[in-house]
Amino acid sequence: FSKKTEQELLVQTEKMSKSKLNGVSPDEILEEFGADALRLYEMFMGPFDKEKVWNTDAVTGCRRFLNRFYDMVFSDKVTDVESEEALKLAHRLVDFVTKDIEAMQFNTAIARMMEFLNAFIPLPAYPKSCLKRAVQMLYPFAPHIAEELWEKLGEKRSLAHAPIALVDPHYLVEE
């Protein structure tokens, strides 16, 4: 219902199609948000075999997530000193995300990374070892920014050739 015209509005959702001329140009999205944000959004929308409604505005949320990740790695709180709480969060992240990737549940893997950020950012310090694990989990979804963050964390070798750190089951146990 439109408050201005006081007329009932019809909402119509259509499939994107060249013939209907209702497509979204990937070049415009890349220009505005970047390749990593677009890639992340496409994977976050849900399973690839399901139909989804495109929402350009929602790409903004993925960009904000990547900005938060970037700010975390470039923060003054980065340290070489490890903490039990940070290690638990990082090991759980690797465990969950690797399982989600193996099951091709990319949207839940990304959701777990968002949950990780929400729990990790309030910590008093960010151990580098934990940040490296988190960046490795980000890599399949946002490879460009992940490589930059990997380098910022002091790594010389490309992230593409770095083995994923093993998960210590000790950190997966709930108390």
Side-chain angles (χ1 to χ4, degrees):
F1 196 77
S2 172
K3 291 180 184 178
K4 288 183 179 179
T5 63
E6 296 193 14
Q7 292 180 338
E8 189 175 333
L9 300 175
L10 297 174
V11 178
Q12 186 174 359
T13 305
E14 293 182 324
K15 244 183 178 178
M16 264 196 254
S17 154
K18 282 191 240 176
S19 63
K20 293 179 183 176
L21 301 174
N22 64 355
V24 177
S25 167
D27 294 337
E28 293 170 17
I29 303 296
L30 289 172
E31 179 87 20
E32 187 173 350
F33 300 103
D36 281 341
L38 172 60
R39 181 182 169 97
L40 193 72
Y41 174 66
E42 287 177 331
M43 292 185 178
F44 189 57
M45 288 174 73
F48 289 126
D49 58 341
K50 302 286 186 238
E51 224 174 86
K52 296 167 269 308
V53 177
W54 180 266
N55 180 359
T56 303
D57 295 335
V59 183
T60 305
C62 290
R63 184 175 178 188
R64 263 195 325 269
F65 164 74
L66 292 174
N67 287 342
R68 289 180 70 208
F69 218 106
Y70 185 92
D71 292 344
M72 178 179 67
V73 172
F74 277 81
S75 168
D76 293 338
K77 294 165 83 174
V78 176
T79 180
D80 289 321
V81 180
E82 294 183 337
S83 73
E84 186 79 10
E85 189 174 3
L87 286 167
K88 278 185 178 184
L89 290 170
H91 281 263
R92 288 178 181 162
L93 177 69
V94 173
D95 183 56
F96 288 138
V97 171
T98 53
K99 287 176 181 170
D100 285 343
I101 290 173
E102 287 169 3
M104 293 191 61
Q105 295 174 327
F106 305 129
N107 55 328
T108 57
I110 294 165
R112 292 190 194 275
M113 286 188 282
M114 292 175 175
E115 292 167 359
F116 167 82
L117 276 188
N118 290 337
F120 196 84
I121 286 176
L123 295 179
Y126 307 151
K128 268 189 189 178
S129 66
C130 297
L131 291 174
K132 287 178 184 179
R133 288 173 189 275
V135 168
Q136 281 188 302
M137 296 301 99
L138 179 65
Y139 182 69
F141 307 99
H144 303 99
I145 194 171
E147 281 287 359
E148 184 177 344
L149 299 176
W150 190 247
E151 191 176 303
K152 170 65 177 163
L153 292 169
E155 294 296 327
K156 304 290 183 234
R157 183 168 67 161
S158 171
L159 188 49
H161 303 292
I164 294 176
L166 297 175
V167 174
D168 184 341
H170 161 78
Y171 294 114
L172 303 179
V173 177
E174 291 287 335
E175 292 173 8

